[in-house]
Amino acid sequence: DAMVIQNPRYQVTQFGKPVTLSCSQTLNHNVMYWYQQKSSQAPKLLFHYYDKDFNNEADTPDNFQSRRPNTSFCFLDIRSPGLGDAAMYLCATSGELAGNLYEQYFGPGTRLTVT
Amino acid sequence: GIQVEQSPPDLILQEGANSTLRCNFSDSVNNLQWFHQNPWGQLINLFYIPSGTKQNGRLSATTVATERYSLLYISSSQTTDSGVYFCAVGENFNKFYFGSGTKLNVKP
């Protein structure tokens, strides 16, 4: 089945220690998104890629970076995690498929704990 | 940006009851989706419905784009329907606005 995969599902890192979360997709979608979701809140868009074009949300901290080496993979790098960065990180994809233009599909998420 | 309001914020139902969740948005949109977030945090696609009406089993949705609202109907609710329901809207591929969600608790 075509899907969005996130690894790891759970990640524990230390305060200030860089961490990378990964996302892969078999949907061949050209758009990939990273969202941050804190407890009892709605997902908040951090940035997205349209093909190789990177688009950062204005309020995304500089501490968050992303890489997309190819269509299938996208990475979220947190350079110096703080306690406030503990959250669920959701990857999503969308594409220009016939029918539902830019319908988003989400991965299962990575729950990040910062100690 | 587009403001998205969902109501009610919390809903408790007895198993078998019906419910209607509402999503109001402040501007024209080309994309509207309903999601169910399960207890493990995964967002499950329910409907892609920028306009019109769709049905999928016990769930159906209606979006009246000209009046800027969408409704999600759940009939004969089951305990597995519990979770948070999100409405997300967008003008294009590059920005999606989520409502704050409706937390549904279906009791046996």
Side-chain angles (χ1 to χ4, degrees):
Chain A
D1 283 343
M3 57 197 321
V4 183
I5 302 161
Q6 290 188 245
N7 285 305
R9 295 292 307 278
Y10 300 90
Q11 176 74 58
V12 180
T13 191
Q14 293 178 331
F15 182 93
K17 185 174 181 181
V19 65
T20 295
L21 310 181
S22 73
C23 177
S24 64
Q25 53 129 342
T26 61
L27 296 161
N28 203 30
H29 283 168
N30 60 325
V31 192
M32 294 187 77
Y33 311 82
W34 279 104
Y35 287 86
Q36 179 193 63
Q37 186 180 25
K38 295 188 176 180
S39 183
S40 302
Q41 295 183 19
K44 177 181 178 298
L45 183 63
L46 295 174
F47 25 60
H48 77 274
Y49 277 93
Y50 184 96
D51 294 325
K52 287 191 174 292
D53 292 334
F54 176 70
N55 296 272
N56 203 28
E57 292 299 301
D59 57 354
T60 298
D62 293 340
N63 199 25
F64 292 86
Q65 304 286 316
S66 186
R67 296 169 283 135
R68 189 179 185 185
N70 54 52
T71 300
S72 301
F73 285 87
C74 195
F75 299 97
L76 171 62
D77 300 310
I78 307 177
R79 294 191 297 187
S80 182
L83 298 179
D85 297 327
M88 174 75 94
Y89 290 87
L90 296 163
C91 173
T93 72
S94 74
E96 295 155 338
L97 298 175
N100 294 342
L101 186 65
Y102 298 125
E103 178 177 6
Q104 286 191 96
Y105 291 84
F106 281 82
T110 295
R111 191 169 296 278
L112 179 68
T113 300
V114 182
T115 60
Chain B
I2 300 175
Q3 305 300 313
V4 183
E5 293 182 359
Q6 288 187 244
S7 59
D10 294 280
L11 185 59
I12 300 173
L13 296 176
Q14 206 64 37
E15 197 169 29
N18 303 329
S19 63
T20 301
L21 282 57
R22 188 176 180 104
C23 172
N24 292 335
F25 44 97
S26 62
D27 208 341
S28 300
V29 298
N30 294 320
N31 185 325
L32 189 148
Q33 289 184 254
W34 283 98
F35 296 94
H36 175 216
Q37 189 162 42
N38 66 22
W40 297 272
Q42 171 126 34
L43 283 163
I44 309 296
N45 290 36
L46 297 178
F47 293 102
Y48 173 93
I49 189 165
S51 64
T53 298
K54 291 186 178 180
Q55 179 154 11
N56 184 4
R58 296 181 296 104
L59 302 181
S60 63
T62 295
T63 297
V64 184
T66 53
E67 297 188 21
R68 300 180 186 166
Y69 73 89
S70 184
L71 302 173
L72 177 69
Y73 305 97
I74 304 173
S75 65
S76 304
S77 58
Q78 301 176 357
T79 56
T80 51
D81 295 331
S82 297
V84 183
Y85 290 79
F86 285 105
C87 167
V89 305
E91 297 167 296
N92 207 328
F93 65 87
N94 59 344
K95 184 74 175 181
F96 290 92
Y97 301 87
F98 276 76
S100 53
T102 292
K103 187 174 182 180
L104 175 64
N105 184 5
V106 180
K107 298 194 168 184

